[in-house]
Amino acid sequence: MRTFTIIWLGQLVSTIGSYMSEFALSIWAWQLTQSATALALVALFSQLPRIPMTLFAGAIADRFNRKRLMMLGDAIAAISTLAILSLYFTDNLQIWHLYLISAIKGGFEQLQWLAYETSLTMIVPQRHYTRASSMGSMVHYGSSILSPALAGSLYPVIGLVGILLVDLATFVCAIASLVSVRIPQPSKPTDNPNPETIWQEIASGYHYILIRPGLCALLTVTALFWFAHDIGAALYDPMILARTGGDALVLGTVGAAAGVGGVAGALILSAWGGFKRRLDGVLLGFIGAGLSKTAFGFGQTLKVWIPAQFCSSSNFPLLGSHQTAIWLAQVAPAMQGRVFAAKSLVLQVVSAIAALIAGPLADRIFEPAMMSGGVLAPFFGGIFGTGRGAGMALLYVISSVSLLLVGVGGYALPVLRGVEEGVTDSDAFNV
Protein backbone atom coordinates (compact mmCIF):
# COMPACT_ATOMS: atom_id res chain seq x y z
CA MET A 1 0.00 0.00 0.00
CA ARG A 2 3.05 2.34 0.16
CA THR A 3 2.86 3.49 -3.47
CA PHE A 4 -0.90 3.96 -3.27
CA THR A 5 -0.64 5.93 -0.02
CA ILE A 6 1.91 8.35 -1.51
CA ILE A 7 -0.32 8.97 -4.54
CA TRP A 8 -3.39 9.23 -2.31
CA LEU A 9 -1.78 11.89 -0.10
CA GLY A 10 -0.80 13.93 -3.17
CA GLN A 11 -4.34 13.74 -4.56
CA LEU A 12 -5.83 14.65 -1.17
CA VAL A 13 -3.73 17.81 -0.94
CA SER A 14 -4.46 18.68 -4.57
CA THR A 15 -8.22 18.16 -4.16
CA ILE A 16 -8.32 20.39 -1.09
CA GLY A 17 -6.63 23.11 -3.14
CA SER A 18 -9.00 22.61 -6.07
CA TYR A 19 -12.08 22.80 -3.85
CA MET A 20 -10.70 25.96 -2.24
CA SER A 21 -10.33 27.54 -5.68
CA GLU A 22 -13.86 26.50 -6.66
CA PHE A 23 -15.21 28.07 -3.47
CA ALA A 24 -13.28 31.32 -4.00
CA LEU A 25 -14.24 31.55 -7.67
CA SER A 26 -17.90 30.99 -6.73
CA ILE A 27 -17.68 33.99 -4.38
CA TRP A 28 -16.00 36.07 -7.09
CA ALA A 29 -18.62 35.05 -9.69
CA TRP A 30 -21.49 35.82 -7.32
CA GLN A 31 -20.06 39.24 -6.51
CA LEU A 32 -19.72 39.90 -10.24
CA THR A 33 -23.09 38.63 -11.48
CA GLN A 34 -25.41 38.16 -8.49
CA SER A 35 -26.81 35.28 -10.56
CA ALA A 36 -27.42 31.72 -9.42
CA THR A 37 -27.69 30.70 -13.08
CA ALA A 38 -24.13 31.88 -13.70
CA LEU A 39 -22.85 29.61 -10.94
CA ALA A 40 -24.91 26.69 -12.20
CA LEU A 41 -23.46 27.14 -15.70
CA VAL A 42 -19.92 26.75 -14.35
CA ALA A 43 -20.89 23.30 -13.05
CA LEU A 44 -22.72 22.48 -16.30
CA PHE A 45 -19.74 23.35 -18.49
CA SER A 46 -17.54 21.22 -16.23
CA GLN A 47 -19.80 18.19 -16.78
CA LEU A 48 -20.58 18.51 -20.51
CA PRO A 49 -17.18 17.45 -21.90
CA ARG A 50 -16.98 14.45 -19.56
CA ILE A 51 -19.46 12.44 -21.63
CA PRO A 52 -17.59 12.58 -24.98
CA MET A 53 -14.25 12.31 -23.18
CA THR A 54 -15.42 9.16 -21.41
CA LEU A 55 -16.10 7.58 -24.79
CA PHE A 56 -12.39 7.74 -25.67
CA ALA A 57 -10.76 7.93 -22.22
CA GLY A 58 -10.95 4.19 -21.60
CA ALA A 59 -9.04 3.30 -24.76
CA ILE A 60 -6.53 6.07 -24.01
CA ALA A 61 -5.99 4.78 -20.46
CA ASP A 62 -5.35 1.26 -21.80
CA ARG A 63 -3.04 2.42 -24.59
CA PHE A 64 -0.83 4.93 -22.79
CA ASN A 65 1.16 5.21 -19.57
CA ARG A 66 -1.38 5.76 -16.78
CA LYS A 67 1.05 7.57 -14.49
CA ARG A 68 1.75 10.13 -17.20
CA LEU A 69 -1.98 10.55 -17.83
CA MET A 70 -2.50 11.36 -14.15
CA MET A 71 0.35 13.86 -14.28
CA LEU A 72 -1.20 15.36 -17.44
CA GLY A 73 -4.50 15.88 -15.59
CA ASP A 74 -2.75 17.71 -12.74
CA ALA A 75 -0.69 19.75 -15.21
CA ILE A 76 -3.78 20.87 -17.18
CA ALA A 77 -5.48 21.87 -13.93
CA ALA A 78 -2.41 23.86 -12.88
CA ILE A 79 -2.24 25.60 -16.28
CA SER A 80 -5.95 26.44 -15.97
CA THR A 81 -5.34 28.05 -12.58
CA LEU A 82 -2.41 30.02 -14.03
CA ALA A 83 -4.66 31.23 -16.87
CA ILE A 84 -7.25 32.49 -14.39
CA LEU A 85 -4.52 34.23 -12.39
CA SER A 86 -3.18 35.94 -15.52
CA LEU A 87 -6.62 37.13 -16.58
CA TYR A 88 -7.37 38.37 -13.07
CA PHE A 89 -4.07 40.26 -12.77
CA THR A 90 -4.72 42.02 -16.08
CA ASP A 91 -8.34 42.85 -15.15
CA ASN A 92 -9.62 40.75 -18.05
CA LEU A 93 -11.25 37.88 -16.15
CA GLN A 94 -14.90 37.43 -17.14
CA ILE A 95 -17.51 34.83 -16.29
CA TRP A 96 -17.31 33.17 -19.71
CA HIS A 97 -13.63 32.47 -19.08
CA LEU A 98 -14.70 30.26 -16.18
CA TYR A 99 -17.10 28.37 -18.45
CA LEU A 100 -14.34 27.67 -20.99
CA ILE A 101 -11.70 26.74 -18.41
CA SER A 102 -14.17 24.55 -16.49
CA ALA A 103 -14.96 22.65 -19.72
CA ILE A 104 -11.27 22.02 -20.44
CA LYS A 105 -10.53 20.92 -16.87
CA GLY A 106 -13.63 18.72 -16.72
CA GLY A 107 -12.61 16.70 -19.75
CA PHE A 108 -9.08 16.06 -18.53
CA GLU A 109 -10.28 15.33 -14.98
CA GLN A 110 -12.36 12.47 -16.41
CA LEU A 111 -9.28 11.06 -18.15
CA GLN A 112 -7.22 11.48 -14.97
CA TRP A 113 -9.86 9.69 -12.87
CA LEU A 114 -9.92 6.70 -15.21
CA ALA A 115 -6.12 6.49 -15.22
CA TYR A 116 -6.12 6.61 -11.42
CA GLU A 117 -8.83 3.99 -10.95
CA THR A 118 -7.34 1.58 -13.47
CA SER A 119 -3.94 1.85 -11.76
CA LEU A 120 -5.25 0.47 -8.47
CA THR A 121 -4.91 -3.18 -9.49
CA MET A 122 -1.26 -2.60 -10.34
CA ILE A 123 -0.27 -1.03 -6.99
CA VAL A 124 -2.75 -2.40 -4.42
CA PRO A 125 -3.04 -6.06 -3.31
CA GLN A 126 -6.46 -7.51 -4.11
CA ARG A 127 -7.31 -7.96 -0.43
CA HIS A 128 -7.02 -4.17 0.01
CA TYR A 129 -9.21 -3.09 -2.93
CA THR A 130 -12.11 -2.09 -0.68
CA ARG A 131 -9.83 -0.23 1.72
CA ALA A 132 -8.12 1.68 -1.08
CA SER A 133 -11.47 2.64 -2.62
CA SER A 134 -12.77 3.89 0.73
CA MET A 135 -9.64 6.04 1.11
CA GLY A 136 -10.49 7.48 -2.30
CA SER A 137 -13.93 8.43 -0.97
CA MET A 138 -12.21 10.17 1.92
CA VAL A 139 -10.45 12.50 -0.53
CA HIS A 140 -13.79 13.90 -1.72
CA TYR A 141 -15.61 14.04 1.61
CA GLY A 142 -12.62 15.30 3.59
CA SER A 143 -11.96 18.04 1.05
CA SER A 144 -15.64 19.04 1.04
CA ILE A 145 -15.36 19.74 4.78
CA LEU A 146 -11.91 21.36 4.96
CA SER A 147 -11.88 23.41 1.77
CA PRO A 148 -14.89 25.71 2.38
CA ALA A 149 -13.71 26.34 5.95
CA LEU A 150 -10.14 27.14 4.84
CA ALA A 151 -11.17 29.18 1.81
CA GLY A 152 -13.87 31.04 3.75
CA SER A 153 -11.40 32.11 6.43
CA LEU A 154 -8.52 32.90 4.04
CA TYR A 155 -10.49 34.71 1.31
CA PRO A 156 -10.97 37.95 3.30
CA VAL A 157 -7.23 37.95 4.11
CA ILE A 158 -5.47 36.83 0.91
CA GLY A 159 -8.28 37.20 -1.62
CA LEU A 160 -8.80 35.27 -4.84
CA VAL A 161 -5.14 35.56 -5.86
CA GLY A 162 -3.91 34.04 -2.60
CA ILE A 163 -6.34 31.12 -2.84
CA LEU A 164 -5.28 30.40 -6.43
CA LEU A 165 -1.60 30.47 -5.42
CA VAL A 166 -2.35 27.95 -2.67
CA ASP A 167 -4.07 25.78 -5.29
CA LEU A 168 -0.98 25.94 -7.52
CA ALA A 169 1.20 24.80 -4.62
CA THR A 170 -1.05 21.79 -4.06
CA PHE A 171 -0.70 20.77 -7.72
CA VAL A 172 3.07 20.73 -7.23
CA CYS A 173 2.57 18.30 -4.32
CA ALA A 174 0.35 16.04 -6.44
CA ILE A 175 2.77 15.92 -9.38
CA ALA A 176 5.74 15.37 -7.03
CA SER A 177 3.99 12.41 -5.41
CA LEU A 178 3.49 10.82 -8.84
CA VAL A 179 7.08 11.47 -9.92
CA SER A 180 8.38 9.76 -6.77
CA VAL A 181 6.66 6.40 -7.36
CA ARG A 182 6.61 3.68 -9.99
CA ILE A 183 3.27 2.47 -11.37
CA PRO A 184 3.58 -0.78 -13.37
CA GLN A 185 1.71 -1.03 -16.65
CA PRO A 186 -0.51 -4.07 -17.36
CA SER A 187 0.91 -6.62 -19.75
CA LYS A 188 -0.39 -6.49 -23.31
CA PRO A 189 -0.50 -9.18 -25.98
CA THR A 190 2.46 -8.80 -28.36
CA ASP A 191 1.47 -11.32 -31.04
CA ASN A 192 -1.69 -9.70 -32.34
CA PRO A 193 -1.29 -9.29 -36.14
CA ASN A 194 -4.50 -7.23 -36.41
CA PRO A 195 -4.49 -4.48 -33.80
CA GLU A 196 -7.89 -3.00 -32.95
CA THR A 197 -8.99 0.40 -34.18
CA ILE A 198 -10.01 3.00 -31.60
CA TRP A 199 -13.71 2.27 -32.28
CA GLN A 200 -13.18 -1.46 -31.82
CA GLU A 201 -11.44 -0.77 -28.53
CA ILE A 202 -14.33 1.42 -27.37
CA ALA A 203 -16.86 -1.26 -28.34
CA SER A 204 -14.80 -3.95 -26.61
CA GLY A 205 -15.50 -2.32 -23.22
CA TYR A 206 -19.26 -2.71 -23.67
CA HIS A 207 -18.85 -6.22 -25.11
CA TYR A 208 -16.77 -7.25 -22.09
CA ILE A 209 -19.66 -6.31 -19.79
CA LEU A 210 -22.47 -7.69 -21.94
CA ILE A 211 -21.04 -11.21 -22.19
CA ARG A 212 -20.61 -11.40 -18.40
CA PRO A 213 -24.09 -11.66 -16.86
CA GLY A 214 -22.90 -10.83 -13.35
CA LEU A 215 -21.23 -7.57 -14.38
CA CYS A 216 -24.18 -6.69 -16.60
CA ALA A 217 -26.56 -7.19 -13.67
CA LEU A 218 -24.32 -5.14 -11.37
CA LEU A 219 -24.23 -2.26 -13.85
CA THR A 220 -28.03 -2.44 -14.28
CA VAL A 221 -28.85 -2.23 -10.57
CA THR A 222 -26.22 0.48 -10.13
CA ALA A 223 -27.77 2.51 -12.95
CA LEU A 224 -31.23 2.13 -11.36
CA PHE A 225 -29.81 3.25 -8.01
CA TRP A 226 -28.14 6.36 -9.43
CA PHE A 227 -31.16 7.25 -11.55
CA ALA A 228 -33.35 7.38 -8.44
CA HIS A 229 -30.58 8.99 -6.38
CA ASP A 230 -29.96 11.81 -8.85
CA ILE A 231 -33.64 12.69 -9.07
CA GLY A 232 -33.48 13.28 -5.33
CA ALA A 233 -30.10 15.02 -5.56
CA ALA A 234 -31.52 17.56 -8.02
CA LEU A 235 -34.24 18.40 -5.45
CA TYR A 236 -31.90 18.57 -2.44
CA ASP A 237 -30.93 22.27 -2.48
CA PRO A 238 -34.27 23.74 -3.63
CA MET A 239 -36.23 21.55 -1.20
CA ILE A 240 -34.20 22.75 1.80
CA LEU A 241 -34.26 26.38 0.65
CA ALA A 242 -38.03 26.23 0.03
CA ARG A 243 -38.63 24.66 3.45
CA THR A 244 -36.49 27.26 5.24
CA GLY A 245 -37.36 30.44 3.36
CA GLY A 246 -34.04 30.51 1.53
CA ASP A 247 -31.78 30.04 4.58
CA ALA A 248 -28.31 29.42 3.15
CA LEU A 249 -26.89 28.76 6.63
CA VAL A 250 -29.19 25.77 7.07
CA LEU A 251 -28.19 24.46 3.64
CA GLY A 252 -24.51 24.81 4.54
CA THR A 253 -25.01 23.09 7.89
CA VAL A 254 -26.70 20.10 6.27
CA GLY A 255 -23.92 19.97 3.68
CA ALA A 256 -21.31 19.89 6.45
CA ALA A 257 -23.17 16.96 8.06
CA ALA A 258 -22.94 15.14 4.73
CA GLY A 259 -19.18 15.67 4.61
CA VAL A 260 -18.67 14.50 8.19
CA GLY A 261 -20.78 11.41 7.54
CA GLY A 262 -18.83 10.56 4.41
CA VAL A 263 -15.48 10.90 6.18
CA ALA A 264 -16.71 8.82 9.13
CA GLY A 265 -17.90 6.07 6.80
CA ALA A 266 -14.63 6.10 4.86
CA LEU A 267 -12.52 6.00 8.04
CA ILE A 268 -14.46 3.06 9.45
CA LEU A 269 -14.23 1.18 6.17
CA SER A 270 -10.50 1.93 5.80
CA ALA A 271 -9.81 0.51 9.25
CA TRP A 272 -12.19 -2.44 8.87
CA GLY A 273 -11.50 -3.48 5.28
CA GLY A 274 -15.12 -4.21 4.36
CA PHE A 275 -17.22 -7.31 3.84
CA LYS A 276 -15.58 -10.48 2.58
CA ARG A 277 -18.53 -10.85 0.18
CA ARG A 278 -18.33 -7.47 -1.48
CA LEU A 279 -21.81 -7.56 -2.97
CA ASP A 280 -23.19 -7.34 0.59
CA GLY A 281 -21.43 -4.00 0.99
CA VAL A 282 -22.99 -2.71 -2.24
CA LEU A 283 -26.57 -3.80 -1.55
CA LEU A 284 -26.54 -2.97 2.17
CA GLY A 285 -25.16 0.45 1.22
CA PHE A 286 -28.07 0.90 -1.21
CA ILE A 287 -30.52 -0.06 1.54
CA GLY A 288 -28.87 2.15 4.18
CA ALA A 289 -28.82 5.15 1.85
CA GLY A 290 -32.47 4.59 0.95
CA LEU A 291 -33.59 4.39 4.58
CA SER A 292 -31.60 7.48 5.59
CA LYS A 293 -32.77 9.57 2.65
CA THR A 294 -36.37 8.55 3.24
CA ALA A 295 -36.10 9.86 6.80
CA PHE A 296 -34.49 13.03 5.42
CA GLY A 297 -37.40 13.62 3.06
CA PHE A 298 -39.93 13.31 5.87
CA GLY A 299 -38.06 15.92 7.95
CA GLN A 300 -38.63 19.64 7.94
CA THR A 301 -36.03 20.83 10.47
CA LEU A 302 -32.33 20.47 11.22
CA LYS A 303 -33.12 18.05 14.06
CA VAL A 304 -34.09 15.50 11.42
CA TRP A 305 -31.96 16.63 8.49
CA ILE A 306 -28.55 16.58 10.21
CA PRO A 307 -28.61 12.99 11.58
CA ALA A 308 -30.38 11.69 8.46
CA GLN A 309 -27.84 13.29 6.14
CA PHE A 310 -24.94 12.07 8.28
CA CYS A 311 -26.25 8.50 8.11
CA SER A 312 -26.98 8.79 4.40
CA SER A 313 -23.49 9.98 3.46
CA SER A 314 -21.82 7.34 5.64
CA ASN A 315 -23.30 4.67 3.36
CA PHE A 316 -21.73 5.94 0.14
CA PRO A 317 -18.12 4.94 0.92
CA LEU A 318 -19.56 1.51 1.82
CA LEU A 319 -21.44 0.98 -1.43
CA GLY A 320 -18.94 2.73 -3.68
CA SER A 321 -15.82 1.04 -2.32
CA HIS A 322 -17.26 -2.48 -2.43
CA GLN A 323 -18.57 -1.92 -5.93
CA THR A 324 -15.22 -0.61 -7.16
CA ALA A 325 -13.50 -3.62 -5.56
CA ILE A 326 -15.78 -5.99 -7.49
CA TRP A 327 -14.99 -4.31 -10.81
CA LEU A 328 -11.27 -4.24 -10.07
CA ALA A 329 -11.30 -7.96 -9.24
CA GLN A 330 -13.46 -9.05 -12.17
CA VAL A 331 -11.91 -7.05 -15.02
CA ALA A 332 -8.50 -7.79 -16.49
CA PRO A 333 -6.07 -4.89 -15.86
CA ALA A 334 -5.33 -4.50 -19.58
CA MET A 335 -9.09 -4.00 -20.23
CA GLN A 336 -9.99 -1.83 -17.24
CA GLY A 337 -9.77 1.52 -18.99
CA ARG A 338 -12.27 0.55 -21.70
CA VAL A 339 -14.59 -1.33 -19.35
CA PHE A 340 -14.60 1.37 -16.66
CA ALA A 341 -15.21 4.01 -19.32
CA ALA A 342 -18.18 2.05 -20.65
CA LYS A 343 -19.57 1.73 -17.14
CA SER A 344 -19.00 5.40 -16.42
CA LEU A 345 -20.65 6.54 -19.65
CA VAL A 346 -23.80 4.52 -18.90
CA LEU A 347 -24.03 6.05 -15.42
CA GLN A 348 -23.37 9.58 -16.71
CA VAL A 349 -26.18 9.32 -19.27
CA VAL A 350 -28.56 7.91 -16.65
CA SER A 351 -27.65 10.72 -14.23
CA ALA A 352 -28.16 13.36 -16.91
CA ILE A 353 -31.64 12.02 -17.71
CA ALA A 354 -32.53 12.01 -14.01
CA ALA A 355 -31.38 15.59 -13.58
CA LEU A 356 -33.33 16.71 -16.65
CA ILE A 357 -36.65 15.20 -15.54
CA ALA A 358 -36.43 16.02 -11.82
CA GLY A 359 -37.06 19.74 -12.22
CA PRO A 360 -40.15 19.48 -14.47
CA LEU A 361 -41.59 16.71 -12.27
CA ALA A 362 -41.21 18.88 -9.19
CA ASP A 363 -42.26 22.24 -10.68
CA ARG A 364 -45.12 21.13 -12.92
CA ILE A 365 -46.58 18.10 -11.13
CA PHE A 366 -45.64 17.55 -7.49
CA GLU A 367 -45.37 21.14 -6.24
CA PRO A 368 -48.77 22.25 -7.63
CA ALA A 369 -50.35 18.98 -6.43
CA MET A 370 -49.14 19.61 -2.86
CA MET A 371 -50.29 23.19 -2.61
CA SER A 372 -53.33 23.89 -0.48
CA GLY A 373 -56.24 22.51 -2.48
CA GLY A 374 -53.95 20.47 -4.74
CA VAL A 375 -54.90 16.98 -5.86
CA LEU A 376 -52.34 15.22 -3.62
CA ALA A 377 -52.65 17.50 -0.59
CA PRO A 378 -55.58 15.57 1.00
CA PHE A 379 -53.56 12.34 0.89
CA PHE A 380 -50.08 13.51 1.86
CA GLY A 381 -50.58 16.96 3.35
CA GLY A 382 -50.73 15.54 6.87
CA ILE A 383 -47.27 14.03 6.41
CA PHE A 384 -45.39 16.62 4.35
CA GLY A 385 -47.50 19.69 4.93
CA THR A 386 -48.62 21.91 2.07
CA GLY A 387 -47.07 24.87 0.31
CA ARG A 388 -43.60 25.41 -1.12
CA GLY A 389 -41.27 22.46 -0.77
CA ALA A 390 -43.95 19.90 0.12
CA GLY A 391 -44.21 18.51 -3.40
CA MET A 392 -40.43 18.26 -3.70
CA ALA A 393 -40.32 16.44 -0.36
CA LEU A 394 -42.87 13.89 -1.58
CA LEU A 395 -40.91 13.28 -4.80
CA TYR A 396 -37.68 13.06 -2.76
CA VAL A 397 -39.19 10.34 -0.55
CA ILE A 398 -40.42 8.42 -3.62
CA SER A 399 -36.91 8.47 -5.08
CA SER A 400 -35.42 7.45 -1.71
CA VAL A 401 -37.78 4.50 -1.29
CA SER A 402 -36.71 3.45 -4.79
CA LEU A 403 -33.09 3.25 -3.55
CA LEU A 404 -34.22 0.92 -0.79
CA LEU A 405 -36.14 -1.26 -3.25
CA VAL A 406 -33.14 -1.52 -5.59
CA GLY A 407 -31.00 -2.77 -2.70
CA VAL A 408 -33.56 -5.32 -1.51
CA GLY A 409 -34.34 -6.40 -5.07
CA GLY A 410 -30.66 -7.02 -5.76
CA TYR A 411 -30.67 -9.93 -3.31
CA ALA A 412 -33.46 -11.55 -5.35
CA LEU A 413 -31.34 -11.74 -8.52
CA PRO A 414 -29.36 -15.01 -8.73
CA VAL A 415 -27.21 -13.69 -11.58
CA LEU A 416 -26.16 -10.72 -9.45
CA ARG A 417 -25.49 -12.85 -6.38
CA GLY A 418 -23.02 -14.86 -8.48
CA VAL A 419 -21.00 -11.89 -9.70
CA GLU A 420 -18.03 -12.77 -7.46
CA GLU A 421 -18.04 -16.53 -8.00
CA GLY A 422 -15.16 -18.38 -9.65
CA VAL A 423 -11.67 -17.32 -10.61
CA THR A 424 -11.54 -13.66 -11.56
CA ASP A 425 -10.08 -12.32 -14.76
CA SER A 426 -7.96 -9.95 -12.71
CA ASP A 427 -6.23 -12.88 -11.00
CA ALA A 428 -5.30 -14.34 -14.35
CA PHE A 429 -3.82 -11.11 -15.68
CA ASN A 430 -1.98 -9.72 -12.65
CA VAL A 431 1.65 -8.80 -13.43
Side-chain angles (χ1 to χ4, degrees), residues 231-244 246-247 251-252 254-255 296 305 309 392 396:
I231 288 177
L235 305 173
Y236 173 84
D237 285 1
M239 180 181 72
I240 294 174
L241 293 172
R243 291 289 209 182
T244 61
D247 194 328
L251 182 63
V254 178
F296 187 94
W305 286 336
Q309 187 65 357
M392 286 186 281
Y396 189 93

Side-chain angles (χ1 to χ4, degrees), residues 259-275:
V260 173
V263 169
L267 284 172
I268 293 170
L269 196 56
S270 297
W272 163 38
F275 290 99

